[in-house]
Amino acid sequence: MLAVTGCSANDPQTDSPDTPPVEKPEEPAEPSENRKILIVYFSHTGNTRTIAGYIHDTVKSDLVEIETVDTYTDDYDTLLAQIREEVATEYCPPLTTRIEDIALYDVIFIGYPIWVETAAPPVRSFLTTHDLAGKTVVPFCTSGTSSAEASYRLIRSLCPQSTVLEGIQIRRGTYDTAYDRVIAWLQKIGIVELNQEENDER
């Protein structure tokens, strides 16, 4: 049971979602090795939510959106100033999301937009209020043109006792191929094993 309680180079993602419809598997695949999987994500414009949905539709998993006590503004200049300050000070915005039974999961996907070259601050809040020691952590992110490397370093630093797998980054303008790349990535990191017939159908 999931319980919900409280804790671009420099640009936030403020463009509207541009993900095209895709054909999805009829049934999500069983994770390799029968691991229990949770997908947790923060999304401001909906792009990261879409990628989280692709993973959830492919892998049997639970899905939870990270929500903050105070909603981030849609005003670009105000948002940019706010998140620059939050990133610089390593601020952890209070969350309304808390997963009480996180110990039940073996694999935790962490999704987020890249804000000011790193993971959006609510991800820091989540990772500092949930114990992921001994778990496999898998980052995924959406961005403009920024690199994801700083965000991956942040995830590793906040999960020092976790195994952090290779992440995936979906940049603006590449959503038309995002679904297929997500599937290939899930196979590459060993989360799912799809047979050749299923691959040929795609």
Side-chain angles (χ1 to χ4, degrees):
M1 177 178 178
L2 301 179
V4 178
T5 63
C7 162
S8 67
N10 288 323
D11 298 342
Q13 283 189 291
T14 55
D15 54 323
S16 58
D18 58 355
T19 49
V22 295
E23 291 186 9
K24 300 176 182 178
E26 292 183 6
E27 294 292 338
E30 288 284 359
S32 300
E33 302 175 8
N34 263 345
R35 293 172 289 184
K36 188 167 177 59
I37 293 181
L38 173 66
I39 303 166
V40 181
Y41 68 93
F42 171 76
S43 187
H44 183 59
T45 65
N47 288 333
T48 305
R49 182 181 300 114
T50 297
I51 303 305
Y54 289 169
I55 300 169
H56 180 58
D57 289 340
T58 306
V59 184
K60 286 188 176 179
S61 54
D62 291 326
L63 182 67
V64 175
E65 182 167 4
I66 297 172
E67 297 182 343
T68 54
V69 171
D70 298 314
T71 303
Y72 283 96
T73 180
D74 289 327
D75 180 77
Y76 178 83
D77 291 333
T78 303
L79 176 62
L80 182 57
Q82 178 181 349
I83 61 177
R84 280 177 171 165
E85 175 67 17
E86 291 184 357
V87 168
T89 60
E90 299 185 352
Y91 176 68
C92 293
L95 306 180
T96 60
T97 304
R98 183 166 180 83
I99 302 169
E100 303 293 352
D101 56 357
I102 200 161
L104 300 177
Y105 295 95
D106 305 298
V107 179
I108 314 290
F109 282 83
I110 303 290
Y112 50 88
I114 298 293
W115 280 0
V116 194
E117 306 272 347
T118 191
V123 170
R124 178 185 289 276
S125 299
F126 182 83
L127 293 178
T128 56
T129 54
H130 292 79
D131 182 8
L132 303 188
K135 301 187 182 302
T136 297
V137 174
V138 191
F140 64 98
C141 61
T142 58
S143 71
T145 58
S146 298
S147 168
E149 290 308 311
S151 76
Y152 296 158
R153 289 194 296 272
L154 176 65
I155 300 298
R156 290 192 292 268
S157 72
L158 295 176
C159 302
Q161 297 180 326
S162 305
T163 299
V164 181
L165 299 187
E166 175 185 345
I168 190 172
Q169 177 181 15
I170 306 298
R171 286 186 168 93
R172 182 184 302 122
T174 68
Y175 285 94
D176 57 332
T177 62
Y179 181 73
D180 287 339
R181 284 185 287 139
V182 166
I183 299 300
W185 167 65
L186 291 171
Q187 293 177 276
K188 180 180 179 181
I189 63 176
I191 297 297
V192 295
E193 297 174 358
L194 300 181
N195 62 39
Q196 188 60 46
E197 181 180 348
E198 288 173 318
N199 288 332
D200 290 344
E201 288 176 356
R202 294 191 179 87

